[in-house]
Amino acid sequence: MDCKKRAADAADAAGATIRAFGDKRPRVAGARPTFLYCKPAKDVVEVLNRVGRVVPFADFKTWPNSMPNNILKLEAAAIDASRGGPVVLVGSSFGCRVVAGLLARRGAAWRDEAVMVSYPLYGDSARSPERVSSLRGVHAGATLLFHSGSRDEYLDRRGWRGQDAPTGRAAIEAVQLRCSSTFSIVEGVGHSSCGSKRAKDQLQRAIEEHLAGGGGDDASPAAAPASAAAAAPASV
């Protein structure tokens, strides 16, 4: 076997190892983080770009049986994006559910801190258990930042089909996560929690504190919608 062939084989083997296990080089102190953002929304991308580099991820399907494959694809994207160190996983709405699925275990390509923008906890009766179980499955060493509107319809099921369930932040806390969690609650807004400058600035501060180990705005109350009898929104 000639030298060129051996060198090519060695390069291929190294590439396969990186793809399988991620780049395990330590993060450089002071370096801007890389956010791998599942189900990207323009307003949130704007905020993430203030803090670090954004790698969008939209290669997923929302079919009922698609979640295992979605998680595998997100894992591959994390490995590919982690050349400078582990990425910070971010999800919006349905994307949060994919992120939670990947965070069922630790990985060299992603950090233990993740950002959940408008986690859709409540859905129709058939899917709600999966939304809860994916959060409960997040490994105990993770820390989740939940950024939601105080009137998020996916955190309120009062008066819908006779349900009597916690709302807002209390709804997520009632899940009894194994991992740590912090909260950034935007008063007076619904599921679209980053539509104003105030909301964007709040999310930025919360992310910066979260990655620095300071947590989000835990003092923020999660006020319920003014109307208790809300119609069920479409699946998210």
Side-chain angles (χ1 to χ4, degrees):
M1 184 182 294
D2 61 38
C3 293
K4 287 185 178 180
K5 182 67 166 59
R6 286 197 299 270
D9 289 345
D12 289 342
T17 300
I18 290 173
R19 287 191 295 273
F21 299 104
D23 188 339
K24 296 188 178 182
R25 290 176 294 177
R27 297 191 298 273
V28 178
R32 284 162 58 85
T34 295
F35 297 103
L36 179 58
Y37 183 18
C38 186
K39 197 175 185 291
K42 179 181 177 181
D43 291 334
V44 180
V45 169
E46 177 186 331
V47 174
L48 297 177
N49 272 324
R50 301 176 189 174
V51 182
R53 181 174 74 98
V54 182
V55 177
F57 176 81
D59 186 16
F60 59 85
K61 299 186 187 306
T62 58
W63 300 337
N65 298 322
S66 62
M67 191 58 74
N69 196 42
N70 291 339
I71 294 168
L72 289 175
K73 289 181 178 181
L74 183 62
E75 179 180 11
I79 292 170
D80 189 58
S82 64
R83 299 295 180 251
V87 299
V88 178
L89 298 172
V90 181
S92 279
S93 197
F94 180 85
C96 296
R97 298 171 59 190
V98 184
V99 168
L102 183 55
L103 284 173
R105 59 184 174 81
R106 281 192 163 101
W110 57 89
R111 294 173 58 168
D112 290 333
E113 304 90 355
V115 181
M116 304 293 205
V117 179
S118 299
Y119 188 91
L121 183 64
Y122 296 138
D124 60 66
S125 59
R127 295 185 182 181
S128 290
E130 297 177 1
R131 299 168 188 235
V132 172
S133 61
S134 61
L135 276 184
R136 286 180 176 160
V138 173
H139 73 81
T143 303
L144 304 181
L145 167 62
F146 290 96
H147 177 86
S148 296
S150 68
R151 299 190 176 190
D152 190 336
E153 57 271 32
Y154 289 95
L155 296 178
D156 190 344
R157 276 296 181 267
R158 296 177 302 169
W160 183 65
R161 294 186 180 179
Q163 291 191 22
D164 181 16
T167 64
R169 171 176 172 169
I172 295 175
E173 290 178 328
V175 172
Q176 298 181 333
L177 304 176
R178 293 190 299 164
C179 65
S180 300
S181 59
T182 58
F183 295 84
S184 168
I185 304 299
V186 184
E187 286 299 321
V189 302
H191 194 62
S192 298
S193 58
C194 289
S196 67
K197 182 181 184 302
R198 171 176 64 94
K200 292 174 187 176
D201 290 346
Q202 180 173 324
L203 176 59
Q204 179 181 348
R205 288 192 303 271
I207 290 173
E208 290 171 341
E209 292 172 5
H210 182 56
L211 298 184
D217 184 5
D218 277 335
S220 293
S227 175
S235 296
V236 172

